[in-house]
Amino acid sequence: MQILDGKALAAKIREKAAEDVASLKAKGITPSLAVVLIGDDPASHTYVKMKEKACEQTGIYSIVHKMPDDISLDKILETIEMMNKNPNINGILIQLPLPPHIDTQKVIQAVSPTKDVDGFHPFNMGKLVLDLEGFVPCTPLGVMRILKEYDIDPKGLNTCIVGASNIVGKPMMHLLLNKFATVDICHIHTKNLKEHTKKADLLIVGVGKENLITEEMVKEGAIVIDIGINKTSEGKITGDVDFEGVKSKCSYITPVPGGVGPMTIAMLLSNTIKAARKA
Ligand code: NAD
């Protein structure tokens, strides 16, 4: 079994990103990212701090626009419109989840597709479905980058994705399909999950349930990618896969932490640099 070391790969990508930023700056362009952070969700605040720090280390200028939990939709849309019009802002990121009274789709769709570094706007999602150049959501893009780094070609592989959210599972499905994998996608209403996972040469899990995937659900020699992030009662971070049980059965596996997580941030930096270049 080989560990797919997302942490090391992300560090390499971030080094290259810093070089790219330096050469853009030499041409008078400073890539910049604006983050909209609404409410007091501690996890969201942690993620935003990590993104800010990564930008700073790379030389990308970032600003965080914080708004209270009870902010109105109109006020959020107004702020985004201001960011869309500001030529000094290349990328706009809306930290999810939003408070329940806010229509998330309306907010996502307010972001200009040219500044949509998270790739969540329907315009960019449509481009992804058609395999056209656009912004691709950072987490599934990070997974594809890991596969590439380890020379794992999805073409012809029986692939099972567990979790079908708009930001993880669905874009993952299209990225793999575009590379000619055979894709099976499972969710909360899937009957007999094991029947699906067991057939997979490449198993990708992004659900948010600790130990959802156990050893008997994994095919011998499978490649296992764990996107899940869960906090145990002892405060430890784990994925969705029972790593200890599964590791001896698979050919490759991503650890949590140190697998997909660092790649998500690295891809955000790459997408922001891409937005700056396009602008
Ligand atoms: P979500 O809640 O929006 O979606 C969860 C998906 O899992 C849904 O499609 C749901 O139907 C499915 N699901 C729920 N229970 C299931 C079950 N028992 N069997 C099969 N499918 C089930 O979550 P999300 O935003 O897509 O995030 C999923 C996980 O990935 C979370 O743990 C999140 O923290 C993590 N995540 C990690 C990164 C990263 O950078 N590593 C980025 C984004 C999300």
Side-chain angles (χ1 to χ4, degrees):
M1 179 276 298
Q2 192 178 347
I3 294 282
L4 298 168
D5 190 346
K7 196 176 165 190
L9 176 57
K12 194 168 96 175
I13 292 169
R14 282 169 67 157
E15 245 173 63
K16 166 80 171 56
E19 286 168 23
D20 290 348
V21 170
S23 62
L24 281 170
K25 280 184 172 171
K27 291 179 196 150
I29 303 162
T30 300
S32 64
L33 175 71
V35 178
V36 177
L37 175 59
I38 302 167
D40 306 315
D41 177 49
S44 290
H45 278 255
T46 306
Y47 290 137
V48 168
K49 276 206 189 90
M50 286 161 72
K51 290 168 188 173
E52 262 187 295
K53 196 172 158 201
C55 283
E56 195 189 316
Q57 287 171 347
T58 315
I60 294 175
Y61 174 75
S62 74
I63 49 160
V64 179
H65 195 103
K66 289 186 185 143
M67 292 175 162
D69 221 6
D70 59 355
I71 190 88
S72 70
L73 175 65
D74 283 348
K75 191 75 202 151
I76 302 170
L77 298 182
E78 209 177 279
T79 306
I80 295 173
E81 194 44 33
M82 228 167 55
M83 293 173 169
N84 283 340
K85 285 185 180 143
N86 185 342
N88 295 320
I89 293 175
N90 303 128
I92 302 172
L93 182 152
I94 314 295
Q95 184 62 42
L96 302 179
L98 298 180
H101 70 282
I102 300 293
D103 182 335
T104 303
Q105 269 308 316
K106 280 198 175 140
V107 176
I108 287 173
Q109 291 180 31
V111 175
S112 162
T114 58
K115 297 191 178 188
D116 174 36
V117 287
D118 252 341
F120 295 163
H121 192 287
F123 181 85
N124 283 311
M125 283 286 179
K127 283 196 159 190
L128 171 59
V129 172
L130 299 173
D131 200 12
L132 298 173
E133 171 67 25
F135 288 108
V136 175
C138 302
T139 301
L141 184 61
V143 171
M144 295 307 284
R145 187 65 187 77
I146 293 177
L147 295 177
K148 187 170 173 224
E149 184 70 11
Y150 287 84
D151 287 326
I152 298 166
D153 184 358
K155 191 174 175 180
L157 292 186
N158 282 333
T159 303
C160 177
I161 303 169
V162 187
S165 70
N166 289 342
I167 64 171
V168 176
K170 286 185 200 165
M172 192 76 251
M173 170 177 93
H174 291 293
L175 284 166
L176 289 166
L177 191 55
N178 290 343
K179 294 285 177 206
F180 305 105
T182 301
V183 189
D184 185 7
I185 181 157
C186 306
H187 44 75
I188 187 84
H189 301 294
T190 298
K191 293 188 184 95
N192 200 347
L193 184 61
K194 182 180 160 187
E195 234 171 55
H196 297 265
T197 60
K198 191 84 189 167
K199 284 190 288 198
D201 305 312
L202 171 59
L203 175 61
I204 302 182
V205 192
V207 169
K209 287 204 173 125
E210 192 188 342
N211 290 334
L212 177 71
I213 305 298
T214 51
E215 186 254 330
E216 69 277 5
M217 296 169 82
V218 176
K219 181 179 172 180
E220 192 80 44
I223 301 150
V224 180
I225 308 276
D226 191 352
I227 297 175
I229 302 176
N230 308 291
K231 210 173 198 176
T232 65
S233 45
E234 300 94 59
K236 208 178 136 218
I237 300 293
T238 62
D240 293 343
V241 176
D242 169 20
F243 184 87
E244 287 308 314
V246 167
K247 70 177 183 192
S248 54
K249 201 165 182 190
C250 55
S251 54
Y252 293 92
I253 189 165
T254 55
V256 180
V260 177
M263 289 300 295
T264 297
I265 293 189
M267 294 299 104
L268 172 66
L269 302 174
S270 300
N271 279 352
T272 304
I273 295 167
K274 178 169 153 176
R277 281 209 181 101
K278 282 189 170 181

Short mmCIF file of all heavy atoms in Angstrom, two decimals, residues 47 139 162-169 186-190 193 205-209 212 226-230 238 240 259-265, ligand 1:
data_model
loop_
_atom_site.label_atom_id
_atom_site.label_comp_id
_atom_site.label_asym_id
_atom_site.label_seq_id
_atom_site.Cartn_x
_atom_site.Cartn_y
_atom_site.Cartn_z
N TYR A 47 -11.39 27.60 8.62
CA TYR A 47 -11.05 27.41 7.21
C TYR A 47 -10.62 28.73 6.57
O TYR A 47 -9.66 28.78 5.81
CB TYR A 47 -12.24 26.82 6.42
CG TYR A 47 -12.55 25.39 6.77
CD1 TYR A 47 -13.85 24.94 6.94
CD2 TYR A 47 -11.52 24.45 6.93
CE1 TYR A 47 -14.13 23.62 7.27
CE2 TYR A 47 -11.79 23.14 7.26
CZ TYR A 47 -13.10 22.72 7.43
OH TYR A 47 -13.37 21.43 7.75
N THR A 139 -11.87 21.08 -4.24
CA THR A 139 -11.64 19.76 -3.63
C THR A 139 -11.57 18.65 -4.69
O THR A 139 -10.57 17.92 -4.74
CB THR A 139 -12.71 19.47 -2.56
OG1 THR A 139 -12.64 20.50 -1.57
CG2 THR A 139 -12.51 18.12 -1.90
N VAL A 162 -18.81 8.16 -3.13
CA VAL A 162 -19.82 8.14 -2.07
C VAL A 162 -19.96 9.58 -1.57
O VAL A 162 -18.99 10.16 -1.07
CB VAL A 162 -19.45 7.18 -0.93
CG1 VAL A 162 -20.61 7.05 0.05
CG2 VAL A 162 -19.07 5.81 -1.47
N GLY A 163 -21.17 10.13 -1.71
CA GLY A 163 -21.42 11.54 -1.41
C GLY A 163 -21.67 12.26 -2.72
O GLY A 163 -20.86 12.14 -3.65
N ALA A 164 -22.80 12.96 -2.81
CA ALA A 164 -23.19 13.56 -4.10
C ALA A 164 -23.54 15.04 -3.95
O ALA A 164 -24.45 15.53 -4.59
CB ALA A 164 -24.38 12.78 -4.66
N SER A 165 -22.78 15.76 -3.13
CA SER A 165 -23.07 17.18 -2.94
C SER A 165 -22.65 17.98 -4.17
O SER A 165 -21.84 17.50 -4.98
CB SER A 165 -22.35 17.72 -1.71
OG SER A 165 -20.97 17.77 -1.94
N ASN A 166 -23.18 19.20 -4.26
CA ASN A 166 -22.84 20.07 -5.40
C ASN A 166 -21.37 20.47 -5.40
O ASN A 166 -20.81 20.77 -6.44
CB ASN A 166 -23.67 21.36 -5.35
CG ASN A 166 -25.12 21.10 -5.68
OD1 ASN A 166 -25.46 20.07 -6.26
ND2 ASN A 166 -26.00 22.01 -5.29
N ILE A 167 -20.76 20.49 -4.21
CA ILE A 167 -19.38 21.00 -4.15
C ILE A 167 -18.32 19.89 -4.18
O ILE A 167 -17.17 20.14 -4.46
CB ILE A 167 -19.16 21.94 -2.95
CG1 ILE A 167 -19.33 21.22 -1.62
CG2 ILE A 167 -20.09 23.13 -3.00
CD1 ILE A 167 -18.91 22.08 -0.42
N VAL A 168 -18.73 18.67 -3.87
CA VAL A 168 -17.76 17.57 -3.84
C VAL A 168 -18.13 16.47 -4.85
O VAL A 168 -17.49 16.31 -5.89
CB VAL A 168 -17.59 16.99 -2.41
CG1 VAL A 168 -16.65 15.79 -2.41
CG2 VAL A 168 -17.08 18.04 -1.43
N GLY A 169 -19.15 15.70 -4.54
CA GLY A 169 -19.46 14.48 -5.31
C GLY A 169 -19.81 14.74 -6.77
O GLY A 169 -19.29 14.08 -7.67
N CYS A 186 -22.99 7.42 -5.22
CA CYS A 186 -23.90 7.00 -4.15
C CYS A 186 -24.19 8.16 -3.20
O CYS A 186 -23.41 9.10 -3.09
CB CYS A 186 -23.28 5.87 -3.34
SG CYS A 186 -22.77 4.48 -4.34
N HIS A 187 -25.30 8.06 -2.49
CA HIS A 187 -25.72 9.12 -1.56
C HIS A 187 -26.55 8.50 -0.45
O HIS A 187 -26.65 7.27 -0.36
CB HIS A 187 -26.49 10.20 -2.35
CG HIS A 187 -27.46 9.63 -3.31
ND1 HIS A 187 -28.65 9.09 -2.91
CD2 HIS A 187 -27.35 9.44 -4.65
CE1 HIS A 187 -29.28 8.61 -3.97
NE2 HIS A 187 -28.50 8.80 -5.05
N ILE A 188 -27.16 9.35 0.32
CA ILE A 188 -27.89 8.90 1.52
C ILE A 188 -29.01 7.89 1.19
O ILE A 188 -29.32 7.03 1.99
CB ILE A 188 -28.44 10.14 2.30
CG1 ILE A 188 -29.05 9.76 3.64
CG2 ILE A 188 -29.43 10.95 1.48
CD1 ILE A 188 -28.09 9.63 4.75
N HIS A 189 -29.57 7.97 -0.02
CA HIS A 189 -30.68 7.06 -0.38
C HIS A 189 -30.22 5.82 -1.14
O HIS A 189 -31.06 5.03 -1.59
CB HIS A 189 -31.74 7.83 -1.19
CG HIS A 189 -32.30 8.99 -0.44
ND1 HIS A 189 -33.08 8.84 0.69
CD2 HIS A 189 -32.17 10.32 -0.63
CE1 HIS A 189 -33.41 10.03 1.16
NE2 HIS A 189 -32.86 10.95 0.38
N THR A 190 -28.92 5.66 -1.28
CA THR A 190 -28.41 4.48 -1.99
C THR A 190 -28.69 3.24 -1.14
O THR A 190 -28.41 3.21 0.05
CB THR A 190 -26.89 4.62 -2.23
OG1 THR A 190 -26.68 5.76 -3.06
CG2 THR A 190 -26.31 3.39 -2.89
N LEU A 193 -24.99 0.11 0.16
CA LEU A 193 -23.79 0.87 -0.24
C LEU A 193 -22.62 -0.06 -0.58
O LEU A 193 -21.90 0.16 -1.56
CB LEU A 193 -23.42 1.83 0.91
CG LEU A 193 -22.27 2.79 0.68
CD1 LEU A 193 -22.56 3.73 -0.50
CD2 LEU A 193 -22.00 3.61 1.94
N VAL A 205 -14.57 8.97 -1.31
CA VAL A 205 -15.61 9.14 -0.29
C VAL A 205 -15.60 10.55 0.26
O VAL A 205 -14.59 11.03 0.76
CB VAL A 205 -15.40 8.13 0.86
CG1 VAL A 205 -16.63 8.10 1.77
CG2 VAL A 205 -15.10 6.74 0.33
N GLY A 206 -16.74 11.23 0.17
CA GLY A 206 -16.88 12.58 0.73
C GLY A 206 -18.27 12.73 1.31
O GLY A 206 -19.20 13.18 0.64
N VAL A 207 -18.43 12.29 2.55
CA VAL A 207 -19.75 12.27 3.18
C VAL A 207 -19.77 13.08 4.48
O VAL A 207 -20.62 13.94 4.69
CB VAL A 207 -20.19 10.80 3.46
CG1 VAL A 207 -21.43 10.76 4.36
CG2 VAL A 207 -20.47 10.07 2.15
N GLY A 208 -18.79 12.83 5.34
CA GLY A 208 -18.79 13.47 6.65
C GLY A 208 -19.29 12.53 7.74
O GLY A 208 -19.97 12.97 8.66
N LYS A 209 -18.98 11.22 7.59
CA LYS A 209 -19.36 10.24 8.61
C LYS A 209 -18.16 9.35 8.91
O LYS A 209 -17.73 8.56 8.06
CB LYS A 209 -20.53 9.37 8.13
CG LYS A 209 -21.83 10.12 8.11
CD LYS A 209 -23.05 9.23 8.21
CE LYS A 209 -24.28 10.11 8.35
NZ LYS A 209 -25.31 9.88 7.35
N LEU A 212 -17.46 5.37 7.95
CA LEU A 212 -18.55 4.92 7.07
C LEU A 212 -18.07 3.75 6.20
O LEU A 212 -18.80 2.80 5.93
CB LEU A 212 -19.02 6.08 6.18
CG LEU A 212 -20.10 5.75 5.16
CD1 LEU A 212 -21.44 5.50 5.84
CD2 LEU A 212 -20.25 6.87 4.13
N ASP A 226 -10.06 9.62 0.50
CA ASP A 226 -10.96 10.00 1.59
C ASP A 226 -11.04 11.53 1.69
O ASP A 226 -10.07 12.18 2.09
CB ASP A 226 -10.41 9.40 2.90
CG ASP A 226 -11.39 9.50 4.05
OD1 ASP A 226 -12.44 10.16 3.89
OD2 ASP A 226 -11.11 8.91 5.12
N ILE A 227 -12.19 12.07 1.34
CA ILE A 227 -12.37 13.52 1.36
C ILE A 227 -12.94 13.98 2.70
O ILE A 227 -12.80 15.14 3.10
CB ILE A 227 -13.28 13.97 0.18
CG1 ILE A 227 -12.62 13.62 -1.16
CG2 ILE A 227 -13.61 15.45 0.25
CD1 ILE A 227 -13.49 13.89 -2.39
N GLY A 228 -13.59 13.07 3.40
CA GLY A 228 -14.31 13.43 4.63
C GLY A 228 -13.43 14.07 5.70
O GLY A 228 -12.24 13.77 5.80
N ILE A 229 -14.03 14.99 6.44
CA ILE A 229 -13.34 15.59 7.59
C ILE A 229 -14.31 15.50 8.78
O ILE A 229 -15.41 16.06 8.74
CB ILE A 229 -12.96 17.07 7.36
CG1 ILE A 229 -12.06 17.22 6.12
CG2 ILE A 229 -12.27 17.66 8.58
CD1 ILE A 229 -11.73 18.66 5.76
N ASN A 230 -13.92 14.76 9.78
CA ASN A 230 -14.76 14.61 10.98
C ASN A 230 -13.91 14.84 12.21
O ASN A 230 -12.72 14.54 12.22
CB ASN A 230 -15.33 13.18 11.04
CG ASN A 230 -16.01 12.79 9.75
OD1 ASN A 230 -17.05 13.32 9.39
ND2 ASN A 230 -15.41 11.84 9.02
N THR A 238 -10.53 12.96 11.63
CA THR A 238 -10.50 11.71 10.87
C THR A 238 -11.32 11.87 9.59
O THR A 238 -12.10 12.81 9.47
CB THR A 238 -11.13 10.52 11.63
OG1 THR A 238 -12.50 10.82 11.85
CG2 THR A 238 -10.44 10.22 12.94
N ASP A 240 -13.69 9.63 6.44
CA ASP A 240 -14.88 8.77 6.40
C ASP A 240 -14.50 7.30 6.31
O ASP A 240 -15.35 6.43 6.41
CB ASP A 240 -15.73 9.11 5.17
CG ASP A 240 -16.34 10.50 5.26
OD1 ASP A 240 -16.40 11.06 6.37
OD2 ASP A 240 -16.78 11.02 4.21
N GLY A 259 -4.18 14.50 3.40
CA GLY A 259 -4.50 13.96 2.07
C GLY A 259 -5.13 15.03 1.19
O GLY A 259 -4.44 15.90 0.67
N VAL A 260 -6.46 14.97 1.09
CA VAL A 260 -7.17 15.88 0.19
C VAL A 260 -7.24 17.31 0.75
O VAL A 260 -7.19 18.28 0.00
CB VAL A 260 -8.60 15.33 -0.11
CG1 VAL A 260 -9.38 16.28 -0.98
CG2 VAL A 260 -8.50 13.95 -0.76
N GLY A 261 -7.35 17.45 2.06
CA GLY A 261 -7.51 18.77 2.69
C GLY A 261 -6.50 19.81 2.21
O GLY A 261 -6.88 20.87 1.70
N PRO A 262 -5.19 19.54 2.34
CA PRO A 262 -4.20 20.53 1.89
C PRO A 262 -4.29 20.83 0.40
O PRO A 262 -3.97 21.93 -0.04
CB PRO A 262 -2.85 19.87 2.22
CG PRO A 262 -3.14 18.72 3.10
CD PRO A 262 -4.57 18.35 2.95
N MET A 263 -4.75 19.83 -0.38
CA MET A 263 -4.87 20.04 -1.82
C MET A 263 -5.97 21.04 -2.16
O MET A 263 -5.88 21.77 -3.14
CB MET A 263 -5.15 18.70 -2.52
CG MET A 263 -3.97 17.76 -2.53
SD MET A 263 -2.55 18.48 -3.38
CE MET A 263 -3.17 18.59 -5.05
N THR A 264 -7.03 21.04 -1.36
CA THR A 264 -8.14 21.97 -1.60
C THR A 264 -7.62 23.41 -1.55
O THR A 264 -7.91 24.23 -2.43
CB THR A 264 -9.24 21.77 -0.54
OG1 THR A 264 -9.75 20.44 -0.70
CG2 THR A 264 -10.38 22.75 -0.68
N ILE A 265 -6.82 23.71 -0.55
CA ILE A 265 -6.28 25.07 -0.41
C ILE A 265 -5.30 25.38 -1.54
O ILE A 265 -5.31 26.46 -2.12
CB ILE A 265 -5.65 25.26 0.99
CG1 ILE A 265 -6.77 25.19 2.02
CG2 ILE A 265 -4.88 26.59 1.07
CD1 ILE A 265 -6.40 25.57 3.42
P1 NAD B 1 -22.85 17.44 2.34
O1 NAD B 1 -23.49 17.21 3.66
O2 NAD B 1 -23.26 18.59 1.50
O3 NAD B 1 -23.06 16.14 1.44
C1 NAD B 1 -22.91 14.85 1.97
C2 NAD B 1 -23.26 13.82 0.92
O4 NAD B 1 -23.13 12.53 1.52
C3 NAD B 1 -24.70 13.90 0.41
O5 NAD B 1 -24.73 13.65 -0.97
C4 NAD B 1 -25.42 12.78 1.16
O6 NAD B 1 -26.52 12.23 0.43
C5 NAD B 1 -24.31 11.77 1.32
N1 NAD B 1 -24.49 10.87 2.45
C6 NAD B 1 -24.83 11.19 3.72
N2 NAD B 1 -24.90 10.08 4.48
C7 NAD B 1 -24.59 9.03 3.68
C8 NAD B 1 -24.49 7.64 3.88
N3 NAD B 1 -24.73 7.09 5.06
N4 NAD B 1 -24.17 6.87 2.82
C9 NAD B 1 -23.92 7.41 1.62
N5 NAD B 1 -24.00 8.74 1.36
C10 NAD B 1 -24.33 9.53 2.40
O7 NAD B 1 -21.29 17.46 2.61
P2 NAD B 1 -20.09 18.03 1.71
O8 NAD B 1 -20.01 19.49 1.86
O9 NAD B 1 -20.12 17.42 0.36
O10 NAD B 1 -18.85 17.42 2.52
C11 NAD B 1 -18.68 16.03 2.66
C12 NAD B 1 -17.48 15.74 3.54
O11 NAD B 1 -16.33 16.21 2.89
C13 NAD B 1 -17.50 16.45 4.90
O12 NAD B 1 -16.87 15.64 5.84
C14 NAD B 1 -16.68 17.70 4.64
O13 NAD B 1 -16.08 18.18 5.84
C15 NAD B 1 -15.64 17.13 3.71
N6 NAD B 1 -15.02 18.13 2.86
C16 NAD B 1 -13.68 18.09 2.82
C17 NAD B 1 -13.00 18.98 2.03
C18 NAD B 1 -11.52 18.88 2.00
O14 NAD B 1 -10.86 19.84 1.62
N7 NAD B 1 -10.93 17.73 2.34
C19 NAD B 1 -13.69 19.93 1.29
C20 NAD B 1 -15.08 19.91 1.31
C21 NAD B 1 -15.74 19.00 2.10
#
